[in-house]
Amino acid sequence: MGFDEEWAQLRAAAAARLTAGPGVTPGPVAALADPLGEAREAAGARLAAFRERVVLVPLDERGGLWTAQLGGLDWICAFSGEEALARFAEARGEAGQEWAFRRVAGARLLDEVIPELDFPCGVALDAAGPDGAVFPPVRGIVPGAAALDGEVAA
């Protein structure tokens, strides 16, 4: 089951619990005992998998890690493989262009690269794919000094 499917199932279960009356079983998704707890567990597992993975990060014209701005934050765009990077290039209308990239461990991006930046930044994984994820600059994902909700928010 993909991230989007799992998230949709958890959201449906939460909505069903809110609308069901006392003693009413809202259906098969109600079998989830604690949707919020299960969502946290799934997010934690996704973060742990990212930290252990080596990802591809495109390079910008200056040779630095390529970022994009969304929602007032910068995001390092990372990809699980060349196929995911190719989907992203195609979505941007740049499929014919050659994309230089660097292989970087997910943990290194979160623990070393982001804290060295002088602006808040998260990581967007597989932005143009069905299993994309974001890792925002918050405690529990990046070191406290680099987290927006940390000791010394940037």
Side-chain angles (χ1 to χ4, degrees):
M1 175 183 309
F3 178 80
D4 291 336
E5 293 167 313
E6 187 174 1
W7 181 248
Q9 183 181 19
L10 291 171
R11 287 183 65 205
R17 292 176 102 183
L18 290 174
T19 59
V24 176
T25 303
V29 289
L32 299 173
D34 178 15
L36 185 57
E38 290 188 22
R40 282 190 182 122
E41 188 176 308
R46 183 98 178 198
L47 175 61
F50 174 74
R51 294 180 67 75
E52 294 175 2
R53 159 181 256 155
V54 173
V55 293
L56 309 179
V57 180
L59 302 177
D60 65 17
E61 61 278 350
R62 296 173 298 162
L65 301 181
W66 194 71
T67 62
Q69 194 171 70
L70 179 67
L73 282 176
D74 285 279
W75 299 88
I76 295 171
C77 295
F79 299 91
S80 58
E82 290 185 31
E83 182 179 306
L85 177 55
R87 265 195 316 268
F88 181 72
E90 186 173 324
R92 289 180 49 87
E94 301 174 13
Q97 173 183 327
E98 184 173 324
W99 287 62
F101 60 84
R102 175 176 279 162
R103 294 178 193 279
V104 184
R108 184 164 186 235
L109 280 174
L110 298 174
D111 297 341
E112 297 174 29
V113 174
I114 288 177
E116 289 296 318
L117 299 173
D118 59 357
F119 53 90
C121 189
V123 176
L125 176 66
D126 293 340
D131 292 325
V134 292
F135 302 102
V138 296
R139 286 181 298 164
I141 295 179
V142 300
L148 291 174
D149 61 344
E151 306 98 42
V152 185

